[in-house]
Amino acid sequence: MLSVKNLSKSFDGNTILRDISLDVAAGETTVILGPSGSGKSTLLRCLNLLETPELGQLSIEGDTVDFGTDLTDEQVRTIRQHSAMVFQNFNLFPHLTAQQNVALAPVLNGKKSKAEAKKLAGQLLAKVGLEHKADAYPDNLSGGQQQRVAIARALAVAPDYLLFDEPTSALDPELEAEVIQVLMGLAAEKRSLVVVTHNMAFARRVADRIIFLDGGTVAYNGAPAGFFASDHARIQRFLQIFEMTDYKI
Amino acid sequence: MDRYIELWVESLPQLLLAAAQVTIPLTIIAFVLSLVIGLFSTAARNLGRFNPLNWLATTYVWIFRGTPLLVQLFLVFYGLPRVGITLDTWSAAIIALSLNTGAYVAETFRSAYASIPRGQFEAARTLNFTRAQTLRHVVIPQATRIALPPLGNDLIDLVKGTSLVSVISMVDLFQSGKQVAARTFEPLAMYLEVAAIYLVIFTLLSIGQQYLEKRTSRYVRTANA
């Protein structure tokens, strides 16, 4: 269980998240939607403490931190252990091969020997369909391949929650499909996924729960069916953008 | 022309000896020290904005990049004795050259560090790397590649800068050539020879630099690959 209570975050006096409270169940796929600037990426980054909220509480699998006072390194590392992040721009380490990218964290975190980590990396690359690219450098991989390596790298630290920050926004549709397939596979395995995305088909078909943020507050939190049938004006306006029904050509 | 060739052959051993005994060892010692100075300065300048070590390093780089090497050399060798610090020529030369080059190396390292994208640090943080692990496994391998070309510049400037130690009466490659020129009344022949030897040293260093750049860039696909 991942739970957020009364979370607030602002940048330079600009409030991005206002008093957010929500629970994310383990084994579910939670999709966070919202217009640009609604705070969805910031919320996701707060779950991994890439951003530190000013106020509120975060608990993941029994470990809890209260914000408002400075966190110790120990606290940050404990909370971070429970999740791993996949970024929009992949952020692979360019000087390491695909396999080295995946194998590095388990070794540095002291969880695996080099040989074990290498074996694990091979398995995870096979899982994302890239066993034949183990020795390739990121620069020689397509965007979709890079993102799949990044997913394998995140899986390598055995996180309780996988966080995806617009994982397909930098990809063209065919490469996006490669990555979405991997995500669907993970969802089918009942991994706990939290996905910020603009891919409505994914949200509709794969999400167990949809959280819609608007102006830094939760405007919807529930089943996908209810979201896509919502009569909430802001949600309807948001969905119409994807349907392109309000454009005149 | 025959006279020139004769002169060159005759004086070559003396010039090479001066290069081997002064110019090259001075370069190596000063460069190693300047790398250490550059590393510490970079570390200090990455501390908080209000950290005194940061101010110290910033002031150091400001002064040593902002004043001529020749002036620095004179201050160390002729100026310091006035406050009771008398140094022999070697010590003075090493101190002035390494402090001067160190300031440039500090800038090289700072820019290399600054060029690592923020996403690399974020990826390292979400994977729970410690600061030392991030530096060792993520930052330094990438920063090294970026730092190599400007670092090569710093080294080559240093090699040529060592010729200034002739003014504190060290017999380096340049000073040695000057002595022969004075004895033989053939400045054109001698300074051409001196220039040629510097050019050979530079060429060897460039080849070394190319090799290192190639080695550290194996992971980068270049536009014309």
Side-chain angles (χ1 to χ4, degrees):
Chain A
M1 173 82 132
L2 184 159
S3 156
V4 166
K5 284 201 189 83
N6 307 110
L7 198 80
S8 292
K9 172 72 184 169
S10 59
F11 292 104
D12 302 323
N14 217 339
T15 306
I16 304 297
L17 300 175
R18 296 167 205 273
D19 201 26
I20 294 217
S21 298
L22 51 87
D23 293 331
V24 173
E28 286 194 349
T29 298
T30 305
V31 170
I32 303 178
L33 301 173
S36 174
S38 60
K40 50 196 192 307
S41 280
T42 305
L43 174 60
L44 194 76
R45 290 163 62 85
C46 284
L47 302 182
N48 197 249
L49 300 184
L50 276 179
E51 307 291 353
T52 311
E54 277 106 42
L55 285 173
Q57 190 189 61
L58 169 66
S59 43
I60 307 185
E61 301 297 305
D63 285 312
T64 302
V65 278
D66 286 294
F67 304 109
T69 54
D70 283 345
L71 303 179
T72 64
D73 271 4
E74 176 78 24
Q75 282 178 306
V76 172
R77 296 174 65 79
T78 307
I79 288 291
R80 231 174 236 162
Q81 262 175 25
H82 293 293
S83 62
M85 176 83 79
V86 175
F87 299 91
Q88 179 177 349
N89 297 318
F90 330 133
N91 292 342
L92 289 177
F93 302 126
H95 59 295
L96 301 179
T97 63
Q99 186 177 60
Q100 290 167 337
N101 261 284
V102 181
L104 185 60
V107 174
L108 294 189
N109 294 345
K111 290 198 181 130
K112 292 230 158 22
S113 71
K114 275 194 175 160
E116 287 169 345
K118 197 175 166 189
K119 196 168 149 227
L120 173 70
Q123 291 164 355
L124 291 174
L125 286 175
K127 189 184 173 81
V128 297
L130 286 173
E131 62 272 48
H132 58 295
K133 292 288 185 186
D135 295 323
Y137 286 104
D139 218 18
N140 292 320
L141 298 174
S142 73
Q145 290 171 334
Q146 287 190 53
Q147 193 60 298
R148 286 187 283 154
V149 173
I151 293 171
R153 179 176 72 173
L155 286 168
V157 297
D160 298 315
Y161 290 84
L162 277 161
L163 312 176
F164 294 85
D165 190 2
E166 302 199 26
T168 60
S169 295
L171 303 173
D172 66 41
E174 280 185 60
L175 301 183
E176 175 168 20
E178 289 176 7
V179 173
I180 291 290
Q181 262 181 7
V182 172
L183 257 71
M184 290 173 84
L186 294 172
E189 286 173 26
K190 296 288 165 206
R191 306 269 329 201
S192 316
L193 313 180
V194 183
V195 188
V196 170
T197 185
H198 292 296
N199 188 315
M200 286 303 134
F202 178 80
R204 196 191 287 265
R205 288 186 46 200
V206 184
D208 295 301
R209 170 185 297 271
I210 285 187
I211 292 168
F212 180 75
L213 290 185
D214 184 34
T217 57
V218 178
Y220 181 90
N221 181 354
F227 177 76
F228 287 100
S230 170
D231 52 9
H232 189 298
R234 185 67 192 94
I235 294 176
Q236 284 193 338
R237 212 164 358 116
F238 179 74
L239 289 173
Q240 272 165 10
I241 292 166
F242 292 93
E243 302 297 333
M244 295 202 245
T245 49
D246 57 350
Y247 298 152
K248 286 218 167 61
I249 299 171
Chain B
M1 194 66 202
D2 282 355
R3 162 129 178 87
Y4 272 25
I5 292 170
E6 199 179 301
L7 252 177
W8 285 334
V9 172
E10 193 189 310
S11 58
L12 188 63
Q14 186 189 337
L15 296 188
L16 289 181
L17 191 69
Q21 283 183 334
V22 178
T23 302
I24 292 170
L26 196 56
T27 301
I28 293 171
I29 296 169
F31 193 61
V32 170
L33 287 175
S34 70
L35 290 178
V36 175
I37 294 170
L39 267 177
F40 277 106
S41 303
T42 307
R45 289 200 292 173
N46 273 303
L47 296 169
R49 204 154 34 111
F50 300 106
N51 193 306
L53 284 174
N54 185 338
W55 302 340
L56 187 74
T58 305
T59 311
Y60 154 69
V61 173
W62 175 61
I63 290 172
F64 280 84
R65 275 179 80 221
T67 55
L69 173 58
L70 188 58
V71 176
Q72 293 162 16
L73 199 60
F74 269 52
L75 276 172
V76 172
F77 189 68
Y78 297 112
L80 287 184
R82 277 301 174 92
V83 290
I85 305 171
T86 306
L87 298 161
D88 61 274
T89 51
W90 268 91
S91 309
I94 289 170
I95 290 171
L97 285 169
S98 50
L99 283 175
N100 181 272
T101 306
Y104 286 94
V105 170
E107 282 298 278
T108 297
F109 285 169
R110 186 181 62 86
S111 62
Y113 184 84
S115 70
I116 307 291
R118 200 179 59 149
Q120 293 290 302
F121 293 93
E122 290 191 343
R125 278 163 69 196
T126 66
L127 295 169
N128 241 338
F129 296 172
T130 62
R131 281 183 67 121
Q133 287 172 339
T134 305
L135 213 56
R136 158 83 181 77
H137 294 277
V138 179
V139 177
I140 290 177
Q142 296 183 60
T144 304
R145 184 184 80 82
I146 295 160
L148 271 177
L151 213 51
N153 271 344
D154 297 339
L155 174 59
I156 285 155
D157 271 349
L158 172 62
V159 174
K160 294 184 289 191
T162 57
S163 64
L164 291 177
V165 301
S166 56
V167 300
I168 58 169
S169 70
M170 285 179 83
V171 186
D172 72 321
L173 170 56
F174 174 68
Q175 178 72 8
S176 183
K178 208 170 137 191
Q179 286 172 354
V180 182
R183 198 177 65 226
T184 59
F185 301 105
E186 287 291 358
L188 178 62
M190 289 324 299
Y191 291 127
L192 277 175
E193 186 178 10
V194 167
I197 296 174
Y198 277 113
L199 207 52
V200 169
I201 297 175
F202 163 79
T203 306
L204 292 176
L205 289 175
S206 302
I207 293 170
Q209 183 184 338
Q210 270 174 23
Y211 168 76
L212 283 176
E213 280 183 29
K214 232 182 181 155
R215 244 190 86 111
T216 53
S217 298
R218 276 177 300 196
Y219 61 86
V220 185
R221 199 179 50 175
T222 55
N224 48 10

